[in-house]
Structure formats: structure tokens, C-alpha cells
């Protein structure tokens, strides 16, 4: 297995392309988590809790509740697999106990499939062990292939998300291959995005296992084939590229939004170019400009063009992945410019070869939209207004809350949480301030009140209480965790407010 690692890592033997051979020894061998960060074991429970909270919602669309239960059980199985793996890594146990622990996740997942979905034992065993085995194998390869890029918990969230996406795609294969089926606009876009991202992940796998595709000519040929496959595979009627053009032309507002998005992309390029001309790292306030830009993109999209934002978020993820592949694989002519941009805008959380922060910014803002069942269901206005706050989880916590906390905390923060905890005999090395946390709470709650004042949501006393609890809990996590907050905060907030 050929995997990408940072060239500056002195432990690995790298060639001119920054590629290293990783052995097939024990699972804990060659696993290096992100420095200056705790393991973050608790993160492995976030996605299972988020999917479980979806089950509390009424089934407002044609999506079968069985699919939601299946994905939730798979997420729980991956969580149990993560906990057992951490036990295997950090505690010395007998060989017999390790063998028992190795079978626990698969058996536990099988039992859930049997009890909750009434599957046969044979089918349940197959799903249970395939799910947990594929997850663990992928998790280990990601940690070995990108040493120092993720904490153990961050990698767990990202790999769980990847495996759940692929699992969901496989469950919907009959619907995908039936190109003649009459679908709504959102169902059509969902099919296109699932297939496109599946192709993209297949390309990433090819680049990981075959050196030849990292050569310039073969890399661009592979990308050309990817573009042709994404736009011309007959999974919709008409083919995806024609279906997308027809969807855009249905509404003149979408054409204006595309022009607006192109202008924002141009502004982003100008900001990056301007910053790379200066020496040294970009400050926290400069990096938060990207938070404001993504707020400008997502707020009108979620309120007025949910379907279009859904497919646009998938396109954005594909583009970021493409540029990251160009940078990591040193593909000219853009590789030098991308490395300069990474050097300028990276922070302490971008410790490995992988640019974690920009990926997690996009994923964190989009994840509520991706994991919510039928997020763009607007046939019933009251049902959609009830879902606005959960769908805004990423924007509220990252775009408003975290941005306010960083700006206010860095400029006016005087009372540090480490001092507060010291007074109650609790040791912490948090550098965040109380002022920043209060700014997080005020910015988030003020944004929700604005949504309510303009009629985009309908707050009751119970809803207000739950939102306040979610905001305070998320703010406290932001102030005291060393995990990447772009990834963790939206899931925490989404899980809590999803019960209303």
C-alpha cells in the first residue's frame, strides 16, 4: 500500500514524490496522531449520536426509515470499533482478551441489526462484520498514510463519515441505476452528487495505490476521465450535465447566485494571492475572513436555494480535494502556488501533510445538510422552518460563534479559562478566554433571534431552552477542546437542537 506522508517527517523513508511504504504490522505501528493535541477519543461518538437524533424526527419524505436505522446502526458499530481499537492501542492486555475485543464490534453490530431491523442472522453477521472491518482497515490506513495530520478522534469522525457515505450509496444503488425513474429535483441532484463523490474517492484510492497516476500527464488524464464520468454517466435522464443545466435554467435566481459565487471565488483567490505576497503566517483575524465568506454563501443558500446549495457544496468538496491532490502529489503548474498558500494560511492544527482546516470548514458547514434526512423538503413550510436551526448548525457555530469568539477573545480576552479552572482545582491548558466564550454565545443566539424575527423559524419556550443549552454546551466545548472545532462544534450543536 503506497500512502502519502509529509516529506519533512524524518521517521519515514520518502521518495521525490513524498510517498512512503507502510508495513502491515500491528495496528498501532506507524500511527502518529496530530502533535499538540489530545487523542480526542470522545469524538468517535459524535456522528452516531447525530444519526440517532435523526430518528427522533418524523419521516417527512419518501426516504425509508429503514435506511436511517441502517446508517445509525452502522455508525454505532464504527464507534464501538473505535473504542475497542483505542483499548487495544493503549492498554496492555492478554492475547485472548485482544481476540475477544476484536470480535465485539462485529457481534454487537450484528445484534443491533437483528433486534432493531429484524434481519436474518446470516445477513446481520455479514453487514456487521463487513461494516466494522472496512471501517477499521480504512481508519488504520488513513492514520498511517497521513501521520501527524489528525488526532485519533478527528480521524474517527472523518473516516466514519466517508464509510457512511459509501454505505448509503450502496444502499441506494437500485435507485441510482434506475435512470428512468421520475425523481424530484433534490432526488436528481442527490443521485448525481453521490455518484460524483464515489468516483472521486475511487480516484483518490488509485492515486494512493499506483505511483504512475502521480505523474503529471497521467494525473491530468485521470482527472479528465473523472470529469467525463461525472458529467456523462447515464444515471439520470437526461445525463447529469444536461440535468444540471436544466435545473439551473429553471430559476433565474440560480444563475445570479452562480455569478455571485464566482465573484466570491475570485475574491478568495485575490485574498490568498495578496496574503502569499507577504512574509509570515496569516493572523487569526485574516483566516476568519474565510468564515465570513462561507457565511455569505450558505445563509442565502439555505434560506432560498437549498437544492442548489446541496449540489454546490458537493462541487466545492470535489474542487478542494482536487487542489489538495495537486499540492500533495506535486503536480505542476499549480503545486508551488498551493504550497505557498498552505504555508501562509495553515495553523497549528495543520501539522501533517493534509490541509485539515479548509476541509473541515467546508465539511462542518455542510455536514448538517448532508446527514439530515430530506434537508430540502419544502412542500410544507412549517416543517421546513422547524428544520432551519439544525441545518444552520455549521454556520451558527463556525461562521458566527467561533468567528466572534476568536476575534473578541484575541482582542479583548483577559480572563482565561485556565485561571478559572485553577480556582476550582481543575487543571487545564486552555488558552481561550471567558470573553471569547461569551461572544460565541451572544453571536450564535443573536443570529437565531434574527432568523426568528424574519419568520424563518418559529421559536417556542421549549425550543428556545434547548437552543440555549446547545449554544452554551457548544461554546464550552469550543473553549476547552484542542480538537479541530470546525469539525466538532457543528455536530454537537446539531445533535442537541435536532431533538426539537
Amino acid at each position: 500500500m503506497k500512502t502519502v506522508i509529509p516529506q519533512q517527517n524524518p521517521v519515514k523513508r520518502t521518495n521525490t514524490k513524498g510517498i512512503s511504504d507502510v508495513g502491515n504490522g500491528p495496528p498501532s505501528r506507524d500511527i502518529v496522531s496530530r502533535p499538540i493535541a489530545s487523542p480526542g477519543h470522545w469524538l468517535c461518538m459524535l456522528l452516531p449520536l447525530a444519526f440517532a437524533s435523526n430518528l427522533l424526527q418524523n419521516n417527512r419524505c419518501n426516504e425509508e426509515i429503514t435506511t436511517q436505522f441502517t446508517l445509525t446502526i452502522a455508525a454505532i458499530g464504527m464507534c464501538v470499533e473505535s473504542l475497542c481499537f483505542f483499548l487495544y492501542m493503549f492498554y496492555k492486555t492478554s492475547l485472548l482478551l485482544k481476540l475477544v475485543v476484536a470480535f465485539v464490534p462485529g457481534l454487537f453490530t450484528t445484534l443491533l441489526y437483528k433486534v432493531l431491523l429484524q434481519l436474518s442472522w446470516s445477513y446481520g453477521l455479514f453487514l456487521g462484520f463487513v461494516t466494522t472491518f472496512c471501517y477499521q482497515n480504512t481508519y488504520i490506513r488513513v492514520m498511517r498514510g497521513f501521520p501527524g495530520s489528525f488526532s485519533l478522534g478527528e480521524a474517527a469522525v472523518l473516516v466514519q463519515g466517508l464509510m457512511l457515505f459509501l454505505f448509503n450509496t450502496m444502499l441506494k444503488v437500485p435507485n441510482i441505476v434506475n435512470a428512468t425513474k421520475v425523481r424530484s429535483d433534490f432526488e436528481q441532484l442527490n443521485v448525481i452528487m453521490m455518484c460524483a463523490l464515489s468516483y472521486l474517492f475511487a480516484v483518490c484510492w488509485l492515486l494512493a495505490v499506483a505511483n504512475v497516476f502521480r505523474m503529471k500527464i497521467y494525473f491530468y488524464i485521470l482527472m479528465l476521465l473523472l470529469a467525463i464520468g461525472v458529467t456523462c454517466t447515464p444515471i439520470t435522464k437526461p445525463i447529469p450535465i444536461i440535468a444540471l443545466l436544466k435545473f439551473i435554467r429553471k430559476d433565474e435566481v440560480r444563475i445570479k447566485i452562480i455569478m455571485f459565487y464566482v465573484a466570491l471565488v475570485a475574491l478568495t483567490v485575490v485574498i490568498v494571492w495578496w496574503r502569499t505576497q507577504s512574509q509570515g503566517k496569516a493572523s487569526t483575524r485574516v483566516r476568519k475572513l474565510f468564515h465570513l465568506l462561507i457565511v455569505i454563501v450558505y445563509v442565502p443558500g439555505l434560506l432560498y436555494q437549498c437544492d442548489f446549495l446541496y449540489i454546490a457544496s458537493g462541487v466545492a468538496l470535489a474542487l478542494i480535494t482536487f487542489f489538495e491532490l495537486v499540492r500533495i502529489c506535486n503536480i505542476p503548474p499549480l503545486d508551488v502556488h498551493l504550497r505557498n498558500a498552505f504555508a501562509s494560511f495553515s495553523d497549528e492544527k495543520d501539522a501533517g501533510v493534509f490541509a485539515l482546516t479548509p476541509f473541515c470548514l467546508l465539511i462542518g458547514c455542510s455536514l448538517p445538510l448532508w446527514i439530515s434526512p430530506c434537508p430540502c423538503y419544502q412542500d410544507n413550510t412549517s416543517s421546513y422552518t422547524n428544520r432551519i436551526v439544525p441545518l444552520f448548525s455549521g454556520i451558527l457555530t463556525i461562521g458566527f460563534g467561533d468567528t466572534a469568539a476568536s476575534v473578541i477573545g484575541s482582542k479583548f480576552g483577559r480572563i482565561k479559562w485556565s485561571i478559572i479552572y485553577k480556582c476550582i482545582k481543575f487543571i487545564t491548558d486552555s488558552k481561550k478566554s471567558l470573553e471569547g466564550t461569551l461572544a460565541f454565545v451572544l453571536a450564535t443566539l443573536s443570529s437565531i433571534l434574527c432568523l426568528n424575527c424574519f419568520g424563518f423559524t418559529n421559536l417556542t419556550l421549549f425550543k428556545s431552552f434547548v437552543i440555549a443549552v446547545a449554544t452554551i454546551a457548544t461554546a464550552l466545548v469550543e473553549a476547552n477542546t484542542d480538537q479541530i472545532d470546525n469539525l466538532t462544534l457543528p455536530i454537537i450543536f446539531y445533535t442537541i437542537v435536532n431533538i426539537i
Side-chain angles (χ1 to χ4, degrees), residues 73-240:
I73 293 171
I76 294 173
M78 295 177 195
C79 173
V80 175
E81 179 66 56
S82 298
L83 296 174
C84 290
F85 178 74
F86 298 151
L87 179 67
Y88 178 87
M89 283 186 63
F90 293 105
Y91 293 95
K92 294 182 178 180
T93 57
S94 64
L95 178 61
L96 178 61
L97 183 57
K98 287 183 177 180
L99 289 175
V100 172
V101 169
F103 283 95
V104 165
L107 291 174
F108 181 75
T109 308
T110 299
L111 184 62
L112 290 180
Y113 280 129
K114 177 63 179 177
V115 173
L116 297 180
L117 294 181
Q118 300 297 313
L119 299 181
S120 65
W121 281 110
S122 57
Y123 189 42
L125 282 169
F126 173 77
L127 282 182
F129 278 92
V130 167
T131 300
T132 54
F133 173 79
C134 290
Y135 166 73
Q136 184 188 34
N137 187 56
T138 305
Y139 178 86
I140 292 173
R141 290 178 182 273
V142 167
M143 289 299 294
R144 287 179 177 175
F146 298 95
S149 294
F150 316 100
S151 71
L152 296 175
E154 291 163 355
V157 174
L158 292 172
V159 176
Q160 283 175 7
L162 171 61
M163 300 306 296
L164 289 170
F165 167 78
L166 295 176
F167 192 20
N168 185 41
T169 302
M170 288 187 291
L171 290 174
K172 294 182 178 178
V173 164
N175 181 43
I176 293 174
V177 298
N178 186 9
T180 60
K181 179 182 177 181
V182 178
R183 303 186 179 107
S184 65
D185 284 343
F186 179 77
E187 290 174 334
Q188 191 99 317
L189 296 175
N190 192 31
V191 167
I192 293 173
M193 192 171 87
M194 284 194 297
C195 289
L197 293 182
S198 297
Y199 292 159
L200 179 62
F201 292 141
V203 166
C204 293
W205 178 80
L206 282 175
L207 288 169
V209 300
N211 286 333
V212 65
F213 291 113
R214 301 188 199 107
M215 298 174 62
K216 178 181 177 181
I217 181 66
Y218 294 111
F219 178 87
Y220 285 115
I221 290 175
L222 186 62
M223 293 302 156
L224 178 61
L225 293 175
L226 171 64
I228 294 173
V230 167
T231 56
C232 300
T233 300
I235 53 175
T236 58
K237 189 176 182 179
I239 60 175

Side-chain angles (χ1 to χ4, degrees), residues 2-14 18-22 28-36 139-152 154-155 327-328 342 348-356:
K2 302 288 185 181
T3 48
V4 180
I5 69 166
Q7 295 180 352
Q8 67 270 25
N9 192 331
V11 179
K12 306 295 179 186
R13 300 189 301 274
T14 60
I19 307 300
S20 171
D21 291 322
V22 177
S28 58
R29 183 184 297 176
D30 299 324
I31 289 182
V32 180
S33 61
R34 183 162 60 85
I36 321 178
Y139 178 86
I140 292 173
R141 290 178 182 273
V142 167
M143 289 299 294
R144 287 179 177 175
F146 298 95
S149 294
F150 316 100
S151 71
L152 296 175
E154 291 163 355
R327 186 183 68 85
I328 292 177
F342 176 72
E348 70 278 358
K349 294 176 182 177
D350 296 309
V353 67
F354 190 74
L356 186 62

